[in-house]
């Protein structure tokens, strides 16, 4: 069956540009998470959606980062005025239900490089 | 908030030997402790998890132990095989988020 799909797999951009990263979760999964992973580190929480609403966006580093999930399925992470420090792998994960903390199903990530 | 520390950062073992990775956490309210395996270029994948109402859980060659009093938990892999080579992450829950350790790179020597 289809897992979590993330596009693009690689994105190279210049400092100051705008980027969008897309996540297509497993069908039927109501919970969706975005994480950021730097080299040699564990995933760092960014934002969590339950359905269409952002239930917890406490991990977003600043107001240049924004994420949407308008129909409760596909999500887009948007980064404005990119900086070199934004370079990382952005991971998306989904799970059936957040009420009982359980397995997260991750995509392969989108590697963002800001030159 | 929760802080999860993981040791060692790199572990090299002979094929067939056992590997142990240890994590400590700070939030006594944490109740869920998963272990994820990440292969190069892939997303993390859950291999085993444990909840605070049990002290040990086993799944074939993999086991996890939890000591809530000491706030530490460990991953044990027995009879290691080449395909066990990967980066392993522990995590603990905090306010329904997962706080992750920095990872352990496990190298299986032939």
């Amino acid at each position: 069956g289809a897992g979590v799909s993330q596009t693009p797999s690689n994105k190279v951009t210049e400092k100051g540009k705008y980027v969008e990263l897309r996540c297509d979760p497993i069908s039927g999964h109501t919970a969706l998470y975005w994480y950021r992973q730097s080299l040699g580190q564990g995933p760092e929480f960014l934002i969590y959606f339950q359905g269409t609403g952002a239930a917890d966006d406490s991990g977003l580093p600043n107001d240049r980062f924004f994420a949407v999930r308008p129909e409760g399925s596909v999500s887009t992470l948007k980064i404005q005025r990119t900086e070199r420090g934004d370079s990382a792998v952005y991971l998306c994960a989904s799970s059936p239900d957040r009420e009982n903390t359980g397995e997260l199903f991750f995509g392969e990530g989108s590697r963002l490089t800001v030159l | 908030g929760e802080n999860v520390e993981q040791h060692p950062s790199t572990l090299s073992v002979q094929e067939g030997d056992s590997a142990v990775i240890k994590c400590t956490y700070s939030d006594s309210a944490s109740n869920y402790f998963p272990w994820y395996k990440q292969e190069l270029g892939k997303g993390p994948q859950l291999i085993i998890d444990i909840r605070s109402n049990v002290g040990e859980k086993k799944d074939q060659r993999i086991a996890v132990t939890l000591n809530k009093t000491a706030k530490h938990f460990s991953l044990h892999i027995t009879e290691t095989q080449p395909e066990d080579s990967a980066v392993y992450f522990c995590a603990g829950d905090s306010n329904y988020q997962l706080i992750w350790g920095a990872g352990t790179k496990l190298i299986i020597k032939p």
Side-chain angles (χ1 to χ4, degrees):
Chain A
V4 176
S5 176
Q6 291 189 248
T7 55
S9 55
N10 276 286
K11 175 70 175 178
V12 180
T13 191
E14 293 180 344
K15 180 174 178 293
K17 298 290 188 182
Y18 169 81
V19 298
E20 288 190 353
L21 307 175
R22 174 189 166 109
C23 173
D24 203 336
I26 293 172
S27 178
H29 281 193
T30 57
L32 184 146
Y33 303 78
W34 283 100
Y35 285 86
R36 178 168 69 176
Q37 187 174 28
S38 300
L39 194 63
Q41 298 294 319
E44 174 194 4
F45 171 79
L46 296 177
I47 187 169
Y48 151 70
F49 288 90
Q50 183 65 257
T52 60
D56 185 350
D57 64 358
S58 62
L60 295 177
N62 51 60
D63 60 6
R64 295 187 297 105
F65 289 74
F66 189 70
V68 295
R69 194 186 185 198
E71 297 179 356
S73 178
V74 171
S75 177
T76 304
L77 178 66
K78 308 180 181 195
I79 311 174
Q80 298 177 322
R81 304 183 304 280
T82 51
E83 299 177 357
R84 292 194 181 89
D86 298 335
S87 297
V89 175
Y90 289 81
L91 293 167
C92 176
S94 68
S95 70
D97 186 347
R98 194 198 202 190
E99 292 304 320
N100 186 17
T101 310
E103 182 172 6
L104 300 181
F105 296 83
F106 282 88
E108 295 194 342
S110 292
R111 180 177 297 278
L112 175 65
T113 304
V114 182
L115 302 177
Chain B
E2 175 73 288
N3 182 49
V4 176
E5 296 191 354
Q6 183 172 348
H7 304 279
S9 57
T10 304
L11 178 60
S12 184
V13 301
Q14 204 71 37
E15 181 180 348
D17 288 350
S18 295
V20 180
I21 303 170
K22 299 182 179 182
C23 287
T24 60
Y25 62 97
S26 60
D27 188 353
S28 57
S30 294
N31 288 306
Y32 176 67
F33 306 93
W35 285 89
Y36 281 79
K37 175 184 181 182
Q38 187 173 27
E39 297 176 335
L40 197 61
K42 305 282 187 183
Q45 183 173 17
L46 181 72
I47 55 171
I48 195 166
D49 57 12
I50 191 167
R51 299 186 186 274
S52 60
N53 57 343
V54 298
E56 184 174 358
K57 183 176 178 181
K58 189 173 181 181
D59 183 3
Q60 299 182 349
R61 297 187 297 110
I62 295 172
V64 56
T65 58
L66 171 65
N67 183 327
K68 282 219 76 178
T69 304
K71 293 190 205 153
H72 65 70
F73 56 112
S74 301
L75 177 71
H76 305 253
I77 305 174
T78 59
E79 300 171 15
T80 52
Q81 300 170 3
E83 54 264 35
D84 294 331
S85 293
V87 179
Y88 291 80
F89 292 97
C90 64
D93 70 313
S94 179
N95 295 325
Y96 294 99
Q97 295 178 21
L98 283 181
I99 307 301
W100 297 67
T104 297
K105 183 175 183 179
L106 178 61
I107 301 167
I108 308 300
K109 297 181 291 186

